[in-house]
Amino acid sequence: MSADTDGSRKTVFLPEAPALSALYLNAAATAARRRISNARPAADLPDARHGLRGVKADVDKLTAFQHLLGETAGDFLPAGFIHALAFPVAMSVLNRDDFPLPLLGMIHLRNRVDQYRAVHFSESLDIVAWVENLRAHRAGTLVDLVAEVRDTDGELRWKGVSSYLAKGFFLPGVDKPGTDTGGVQGSGPETTFSPPDPTALWILGVDTGRNYASVSGDFNPIHLSVLSAKALGLKRSIAHGMYLASRALAEVGPARSEAFTWEISFEAPVFLPARVSLEISTSRDAGGHWSRSDFTGWNPRSGRRHFIGSAAALG
């Protein structure tokens, strides 16, 4: 590893992209050590960033990613695929010994991505990730995981902020009920939702989590099988949040060459197999160009909302 500094944070550069499977195994070992020692981590986040230089898209995985989401092939990377490229670096930060929250079982609450410029599949990219904004939630503790993707000239192309909840985990100093009251996968009341007329229907097989893991590298056990999900307290495996977000983005309108912002909030897990109803509304500017799309996904049987999001043109 090598390191440099940027303001008050040191950046630790990784020699290669870490394998997510190894990160999850290490996270399980860390959790076991903390249980045995009954250690209570301090409410401090790592004062460091992790970086990786010279990242390039694997064309085979890119093609498989596009196929899985029903996208047409193209020269520019989908924003969700860029997230997948940055994800191992970002997760390595959560896997640090000085990260105070348990990695396994953390719930993906919301995501915001700003895509400033298109990224060609042949480009070499530099990725940096860190954590910030540790705060209380009525159901546990929230933290933001930030990743930035730049080209070799240092121009910021893509930035993502993912909010994660350590449900049932309260740190000293941040263990009072917080003001963040967004509905989180059973952690509290959600806003009243009346399902509209759907404009699309997804039919997701039991292998959806494994299929997305194969193209993204995210082999979190909660997504892979009934047995591995039950080991972490879930009744069945659930779909990846970023699979749902990326598939929605593929359907709502922005071209990969456009600058746009993309947001999604998750309210209830999608247990596999599943059917997900969607309602998508799109608006255009005076010139007829796409300007914004809003989307909502819900369980057509129970009427419970799974997620709500939007994509809008930047600038």
Side-chain angles (χ1 to χ4, degrees):
M1 293 187 182
S2 61
D4 64 15
T5 57
D6 180 8
S8 61
R9 289 180 183 266
K10 178 178 70 172
T11 301
V12 178
F13 284 97
L14 309 175
E16 59 184 3
L20 286 168
S21 56
L23 293 180
Y24 288 128
L25 286 173
N26 189 67
T30 299
R33 288 196 302 270
R34 288 178 175 176
R35 282 196 300 269
I36 292 171
S37 65
N38 200 27
R40 194 67 172 171
D44 296 313
L45 292 177
D47 188 24
R49 312 186 313 171
H50 283 194
L52 184 64
R53 296 187 176 103
V55 178
K56 286 191 175 183
D58 180 299
V59 175
D60 289 337
K61 287 187 177 181
L62 171 60
T63 302
F65 183 94
Q66 294 166 336
H67 177 74
L68 183 64
L69 299 180
E71 291 189 306
T72 57
D75 291 341
F76 297 108
L77 302 184
F81 188 79
I82 300 174
H83 178 276
L85 286 179
F87 194 62
V89 181
M91 292 300 284
S92 72
V93 179
L94 302 189
N95 203 52
R96 290 174 59 99
D97 289 339
D98 56 354
F99 180 68
L101 302 176
L103 169 56
L104 290 182
M106 292 186 78
I107 296 171
H108 193 180
L109 170 61
R110 61 177 63 96
N111 226 79
R112 177 187 170 98
V113 166
D114 292 320
Q115 175 129 359
Y116 300 102
R117 290 277 303 278
V119 178
H120 195 270
F121 75 88
S122 64
E123 289 188 70
S124 180
L125 304 169
D126 295 338
I127 299 169
V128 175
W130 66 93
V131 283
E132 63 184 26
N133 199 17
L134 189 70
R135 60 205 185 275
H137 184 279
R138 64 175 179 275
T141 305
L142 279 169
V143 69
D144 290 339
L145 178 59
V146 185
E148 290 185 345
V149 177
R150 298 177 183 269
D151 59 26
T152 53
D153 294 326
E155 180 183 0
L156 182 62
R157 295 293 194 89
W158 182 101
K159 181 177 181 179
V161 181
S162 304
S163 298
Y164 286 92
L165 170 69
K167 190 174 181 181
F169 198 88
F170 299 91
L171 290 173
V174 289
D175 56 355
K176 295 180 180 179
T179 58
D180 193 315
T181 57
V184 187
Q185 302 190 1
S187 64
E190 292 93 26
T191 56
T192 302
F193 172 65
S194 298
D197 292 332
T199 57
L201 176 67
W202 294 346
I203 300 175
L204 309 182
V206 70
D207 58 350
T208 297
R210 294 190 294 274
N211 290 340
Y212 182 74
S214 69
V215 300
S216 69
D218 184 3
F219 287 90
N220 188 325
I222 64 175
H223 304 301
L224 303 182
S225 70
V226 172
L227 291 178
S228 60
K230 281 186 174 181
L232 291 171
L234 298 177
K235 62 182 181 181
R236 297 201 308 275
S237 60
I238 64 175
H240 293 74
M242 288 309 296
Y243 165 77
L244 302 171
S246 298
R247 183 164 177 179
L249 184 66
E251 298 190 17
V252 301
R256 295 175 208 161
S257 58
E258 294 181 272
F260 60 90
T261 185
W262 165 39
E263 297 182 89
I264 187 167
S265 295
F266 302 101
E267 293 183 0
V270 175
F271 288 100
L272 299 170
R275 290 174 176 248
V276 178
S277 292
L278 288 99
E279 192 268 340
I280 299 170
S281 61
T282 298
S283 57
R284 298 183 180 276
D285 62 22
H289 301 101
W290 173 86
S291 61
R292 180 182 176 91
S293 294
D294 296 279
F295 56 90
T296 303
W298 68 93
N299 184 319
R301 185 173 182 179
S302 68
R304 189 178 187 188
R305 187 164 60 190
H306 291 302
F307 55 83
I308 184 169
S310 66
L314 280 177

